[in-house]
Amino acid sequence: MKFTCLCQGGGFNFPPCHILNVSGFHVLFDCPLDLSALTVFSPLPNDFYKAICKENSDSQNRQKVEKPLDANDLIFAEPWYKTVNNLHLWNVSFIDVVLISSPMGMLGLPFLTRMEGFSAKIYITEAAARIGQLMMEELICMNMEYRQFYGAEESSGPQWMKWEELELLPSALRKIALGEDGSELGGGCPCIAHVKDCISKVQTLRFGEEACYNGILIIKAFSSGLDIGACNWIISGAKGNIAYISGSNFASGHAMDFDYRAIQGSDLILYSDLSSLDSTEDIDQSSFSDDNNNWEELMNSLSNYDESVEEMEKLAFICSCAIDSVKAGGSVLIPINRVGVFLQLLEQIAIFMECSSLKIPIYIISSVAEELLAYTNTIPEWLCKQRQEKLFSGDPLFAHVKLIKEKKIHVFPAVHSPKLLMNWQEPCIVFSPHWSLRLGPTIHLLRRWSGDHNSLLVLENEVDAELAVLPFKPISMKVLQCSFLSGKKLQKVQPLLKILQPKLVLFPEEWRTHVSFSDVTSFSVSHYSENETIHIPSLKESAELEIAADIASKFQWRMLKQKKLNITRLKGRLFVNHGKHQLLPENEPGGSSQTRPFLHWGSPDPENLLAELSKMGINGSVERCMTDAESEDGFTVKVQDPEKSMIEVRAAVTVISAADKNLASRIVKAMENILEGI
Amino acid sequence: MAIDCLVLGAGQEVGKSCVVVTINGKRIMFDCGMHMAYNDHRQYPDFSRISKSCDFNNAIDCIVITHFHLDHIGALPYFTEICGYNGPIYMTYPTRALAPIMLEDYRKVLVDRRGEVEQFTSDHIAECMKKVIAVDLKQTVQVDKDLQIRAYYAGHVLGAAMFYAKVGDSAMVYTGDYNMTPDRHLGAARIDRLQLDLLITDFDFHGICLVFQFTFCKCYNSEIEYRNSLFIDYAAAVSDTVDYIIVSYLISLPCPEMEALAFGLRSTYATTVRDSKYAREREFLKAAASSVLHTAVASILSFVVIIVVHKCVAGGGKVLIPAFALGRAQELCILLDDYWERMNLRVPIYFSAVHNFDRSLIDAPGPCVLFATPGMLTGGFSLEVFKHWAPSEMNLITLPGYCLAGTIGNKLMSGNPTIELEGTKIDVRCQIHQLAFSPHTDGKGIMDLVKFLSPQHVILVHGEKPKMATLKERIQSELGIKCCDPANNESVCIPSTHYVKAGASDAFIRSCLNPNFQFLKSGSEEKSVSGSKCTEGTLPLWIKDERVAEGILVLEKSEKAKVVHQDELLLMLGEKRHEVQFAYCCPVNVDELEKFTTTSLTPTARMLRDPNKSSLIRLLVAKLSRKLSEGNIQDFGEHLQVESFHLSVCLKDTCPYRITNGLEDKPRTAFFCCTWSAADDKLARKIISAMENRDLVET
């Protein structure tokens, strides 16, 4: 078994990407896009012509002189999308299975599926696939706007891609565009046909549903709690279970909680919840040691509700800031980032508005919002306990249903929708894509509000705010940055693993310094780092074989005294089915179940042989001298009675030569009596 | 190893489904229904048979509910709250959402309308529902370490599921009501091909199962309209989940809260669902539902009829309900009366057996409803009225679920637009509505499912004994699967699968997967003869690749049993293999050989005068391939090989294996040195006797 980390990713929107080689199959975990790289491209510039003139005259200045970045440093072209670079080092046709853990991990899929030779089976949870598809469609839709502005791409590849142009980029941007080692940026935006094609190759799963790949691997998804449909994976085969833990959240206010009980008892854990690396907190080492085995305590420490309370407080804070802004006459722009958080924010803001008896419209401007909102209200199976209760008590799963009905929330597909123009009212609160501030309606709204010091822009911490707002400078709008949980907190890692009881855990290299496992004896730990293949020892020495009772009842045991072994010959048809090896009776029990052993060992002794032969009424004489020089231990028995025949015994082989069938078989019996066999 | 199956309800009857199954020590209760026809102790399954001490928590590991109909869930609050069962209860999300509404409704009807003593309170229902764990379709749920259950889509009503349960190596499926033919509203049941020891299937569900789907279709005027509504398109797009909304809408009529859920979708697509019409349909449904709901499931049949009848009379049409004098028609008549009252309708309802329906009224203007005998339009009054009303499009004729072949009713059902009656042709233009699908189906759906799953055993429940007998017979004779239909409180024990577990070495697994090609010359001798033009060269070659797994099971003290390849065994033992072979130097008369190979082969014959090795081998191959039916003869020029049988020309003067004497003197005798291993002794002896021209068939 081999494991290669292709990319450790970065945060919620750019999950890690790995390849695992198990039972001869290559399994790719996630296929994300690094959308933060979009920031090197300029959105529709407010003063386009001015910029062009400036560029022509100042091109000398730009070279090599490092000065603070300004909007003109950005690339003025239709953006390219940054996929996982190391993935291109692999031949796509060798990938057998793709497992997608979240909608974000799916965005790079069309880039992969459109490559020639791609034939892997893609597994995604039903909800993640649906939401991911909506996200892709939205991305394409927004990219179209770019294309309309910059025109269709030249056939020779974009101008900015030329090396001399890239050299001119300020170093900060160059790093984003090219990566640390200067390799290229992913590719152009896929079209809707690519997405359709990609989706058609997807097999959707529900939580806990077993998918069987090639009869050998059983693949199951279990909720990770990170976002709606986001999951962890369990791959089980005849030689053990492997759990892949992506960013996981113990108590979510929207998605179904992290189902860690399902992962319990896995032999190997591929730990890929890397979000906690970003937080610098160190953990209190004393709180856990191996002898702390109080089960309940462990469980409690995992599922305390501090986290969800904390998350709710963050939401409340955003809401109160938003209320303050609108009270001051400004508008609020909240780029849509995480689906779950977005839905919760909608509910919360509405509550806050009610409390402060404000009548400010909330607009959602997105080409897919309508469908997304309708869809999220029909999927109780994918949501947290509290939301499921709403189904059972007859309430809508999310409050947005009611809010839309009451006309507190207005949903429009685009900024230029006629209905929006008729409805528009400021101040207002707007939710719209895209969080990179390079695509979608946010661009237009930012241009409108960037000068208003009463207005508020809400960004996530993961976004480089400085770079993100660069094209909109000077900006007097307030910017609020907040962070949400993208995975487990570091201090929960050890108690979790204690509960999961794996044999081996794979951690990122960076964890060596943060989390020490020196005092843990129940499992062993390996560390992986980006783009380095590590070999994982076999989890089990032998595969489990199930032998049908019909076969087992016919066993003829043979006791080997010297080794204290019982052995029996086994014959049947092997079935590899649903990850199991089964030995079933043969179709036609032909050939009158031969009881004769086929495998012999031991060294025959001439006296013994003669004695055995005479017992059967066969008489012969031993001749020691052999013509063959090689056979030193050899001897020959010449039989005269009852019929002329010969037994030639050498070190590793005995040759019986007899014309009569019956005589021959009697001699064989005699041989078997003095040899061990099965 | 065995599966024990105790039928507490729905054994040779319809109603109060409840089967308790014990698999390898784990006990599962499938469904916990009530019988609608009784008011006494027969209403509930006899739970005391599960546990004498009534300690149900230890006696049962979990309860599985297939769908929300009262005959499958009605006794659940009683069992959990009164009998005190506290263990887990599994059902699908839609069932979990709809069950409390159904139960609460039933309770209300009992108490408020019939004035009976309630068997459980609203609190009981709420408490009971707290014990429910909702599961998703196909989700594999680990109830405990050994017990695994999984729900499969059953299609019967929203949320209906078949349940798979597995403990150790034994597995079974309990179907509940299901639907094998996809229809307008719900798809057909979907299940994986599973290895099953037992299949417990409901027998008689057609009647009820189709009603719900039917009901919904009738809410729209035509199927096309129904299909066109984006409501349904959306349902198809986002899968089964939306189904609840549709049914919650249907079932939750007394419960406005559920509408909120439905609203999520409706608001989105409001433009396509015409509001005014929608509202009117709802009125129809609401009134019909409230008049029907108190008699619960069985009467839901009537629910449909009422709506259809109302629609017809609202359009000024006349309705003919051919009916048997007793039974359902009466019930329907009462319900219709009730409905008429609620809706304040003045359209007259006649019952020909009761009212003395005047023949002059047949052609009287204006709408009316008429119940008339006989049911299948075999003659008499109903036929007479039919003749008058059938030509008008405004009118409606309802037909009973089942009409004997040859009757007018039967002809109408098969969609005949013109009916010939006593020499006159009647142009049938009126609407035809079939009351329900016949419960007397041929059981095709069940047969299909049983065939698909091919379990070791089938148990039929939820059907009347005489009706199930035919199907039982068919399952046994046509499919060769053991089948039984136990009565209530009977217990059936069936053997179950058990596997012996052992570790298998890689070498063993690899050796099992090695191809094992066998080349057989076309099926049999007769075939090649009958296929006249088939010459030797063009005989089709049959290739068989039956891989045989052969290994050695090793049992060492205090260690897990292990299967190894035989080579590995020797390594384990530290021994070397000692092979036992046979050798024989076989004399063959070359003349005979030549004679055997036909005269047309002159060139080879000539070559024989100067015999060389390869030509001799070639001759032998030709001969053997004619005489031998088995084995794959390979000609390597210098030698010949069949399995382990190895043959080459022996030119030695004195071969140690040349045992038979006296042949050396014979002219034109060639010697072939043969060796083979003990395993192929039989084959080798056959070859040798063929070579020596002895009889091929050993005596």
Side-chain angles (χ1 to χ4, degrees), chain B residues 69-289:
Chain B
H69 284 160
L70 287 173
D71 56 341
H72 292 261
I73 199 175
L76 190 64
Y78 175 80
F79 187 57
T80 60
E81 303 314 307
I82 315 286
C83 300
Y85 172 77
N86 281 316
I89 303 162
Y90 293 91
M91 54 179 81
T92 62
Y93 281 90
T95 308
R96 167 66 184 82
L98 298 169
I101 299 169
M102 201 73 180
L103 288 168
E104 180 57 28
D105 223 65
Y106 170 73
R107 192 197 62 79
K108 263 194 221 148
V109 164
L110 270 190
V111 179
D112 302 348
R113 303 198 66 185
R114 289 204 206 151
E116 284 170 25
V117 186
E118 61 181 10
Q119 285 121 350
F120 44 80
T121 64
S122 297
D123 289 344
H124 283 153
I125 297 172
E127 280 305 309
C128 167
M129 284 299 142
K130 280 185 190 160
K131 296 171 187 169
V132 172
I133 300 169
V135 299
D136 202 355
L137 295 174
K138 289 191 185 170
Q139 179 188 357
T140 306
V141 180
Q142 208 75 44
V143 175
D144 57 33
K145 207 170 113 281
D146 306 309
L147 173 58
Q148 210 177 57
I149 60 167
R150 194 184 304 149
Y152 285 99
Y153 186 77
H156 167 61
V157 288
L158 284 188
M162 307 192 237
F163 273 87
Y164 166 80
K166 186 181 177 197
V167 183
D169 301 320
S170 313
M172 61 161 296
V173 162
Y174 177 87
T175 64
D177 297 343
Y178 59 94
N179 173 27
M180 286 298 282
T181 42
D183 58 56
R184 285 164 276 198
H185 167 201
L186 297 167
R190 285 188 286 269
I191 191 160
D192 297 331
R193 222 175 264 274
L194 301 157
Q195 280 181 18
L196 297 179
D197 296 305
L198 172 65
L199 172 72
I200 303 178
T201 172
D202 276 20
F203 171 76
D204 189 358
F205 44 76
H206 302 74
I208 302 166
C209 97
L210 290 165
V211 168
F212 265 98
Q213 299 134 24
F214 214 43
T215 315
F216 192 67
C217 300
K218 293 295 171 190
C219 300
Y220 293 85
N221 245 351
S222 68
E223 191 190 330
I224 296 157
E225 203 177 319
Y226 174 86
R227 280 197 191 283
N228 280 350
S229 70
L230 258 179
F231 212 162
I232 302 311
D233 287 352
Y234 196 78
V238 298
S239 84
D240 318 324
T241 39
V242 174
D243 283 357
Y244 332 125
I245 292 142
I246 301 169
V247 161
S248 67
Y249 159 63
L250 257 184
I251 303 304
S252 68
L253 296 165
C255 168
E257 292 84 23
M258 287 302 282
E259 277 178 57
L261 181 63
F263 187 81
L265 285 169
R266 232 180 301 144
S267 62
T268 317
Y269 297 105
T271 44
T272 49
V273 181
R274 270 166 289 160
D275 281 334
S276 59
K277 176 149 175 39
Y278 201 69
R280 201 178 42 151
E281 302 291 357
R282 282 185 51 76
E283 283 311 307
F284 276 31
L285 277 169
K286 231 176 202 164

Side-chain angles (χ1 to χ4, degrees), chain A residues 588-594, chain B residues 682:
Chain A
E588 33 198 281
S592 64
S593 64
Q594 278 169 302
Chain B
K682 229 177 175 175

Side-chain angles (χ1 to χ4, degrees), chain B residues 537-548:
Chain B
T538 59
L539 273 182
L541 187 66
W542 296 79
I543 302 172
K544 232 168 76 174
D545 181 15
E546 257 187 34
R547 298 175 191 196
V548 187

Side-chain angles (χ1 to χ4, degrees), chain A residues 504-654:
Chain A
L504 175 66
V505 184
L506 254 57
F507 276 118
E509 182 62 37
E510 285 84 344
W511 282 36
R512 253 185 227 280
T513 51
H514 291 275
V515 190
S516 140
F517 292 98
S518 52
D519 55 342
V520 175
T521 51
S522 57
F523 56 86
S524 50
V525 174
S526 291
H527 290 90
Y528 63 84
S529 44
E530 215 166 274
N531 213 16
E532 182 194 311
T533 300
I534 60 170
H535 293 259
I536 306 163
S538 201
L539 301 169
K540 274 185 194 164
E541 201 181 305
S542 56
E544 177 111 334
L545 180 73
E546 295 183 341
I547 304 164
D550 307 24
I551 295 181
S553 64
K554 287 179 192 141
F555 282 157
Q556 290 168 331
W557 291 99
R558 214 179 160 94
M559 175 84 179
L560 298 183
K561 286 168 202 102
Q562 70 271 39
K563 298 268 178 187
K564 287 187 180 142
L565 283 179
N566 274 310
I567 56 173
T568 176
R569 196 163 266 281
L570 192 65
K571 198 174 177 188
R573 285 182 307 152
L574 182 79
F575 276 82
V576 183
N577 182 24
H578 217 70
K580 275 183 194 151
H581 290 91
Q582 290 181 326
L583 200 69
L584 303 181
E586 286 173 280
N587 265 352
E588 33 198 281
S592 64
S593 64
Q594 278 169 302
T595 51
R596 160 169 296 176
F598 299 121
L599 181 68
H600 298 100
W601 62 91
S603 39
D605 171 86
E607 277 71 44
N608 279 351
L609 179 59
L610 279 183
E612 280 295 332
L613 284 173
S614 64
K615 266 190 218 164
M616 301 200 169
I618 303 163
N619 294 313
S621 56
V622 176
E623 280 180 27
R624 280 247 173 219
C625 54
M626 292 294 302
T627 42
D628 286 323
E630 37 168 334
S631 51
E632 290 135 27
D633 312 334
F635 61 91
T636 307
V637 177
K638 290 243 159 123
V639 177
Q640 301 296 338
D641 178 38
E643 224 178 296
K644 193 180 159 193
S645 58
M646 185 186 71
I647 308 161
E648 205 176 85
V649 184
R650 282 179 227 160
V653 64
T654 294

Side-chain angles (χ1 to χ4, degrees), chain A residues 598-601 651-653, chain B residues 566-567 570 575-579:
Chain A
F598 299 121
L599 181 68
H600 298 100
W601 62 91
V653 64
Chain B
Q566 58 179 28
D567 295 346
L570 292 175
E575 295 276 0
K576 273 192 182 144
R577 182 177 185 158
H578 189 97
E579 220 161 328

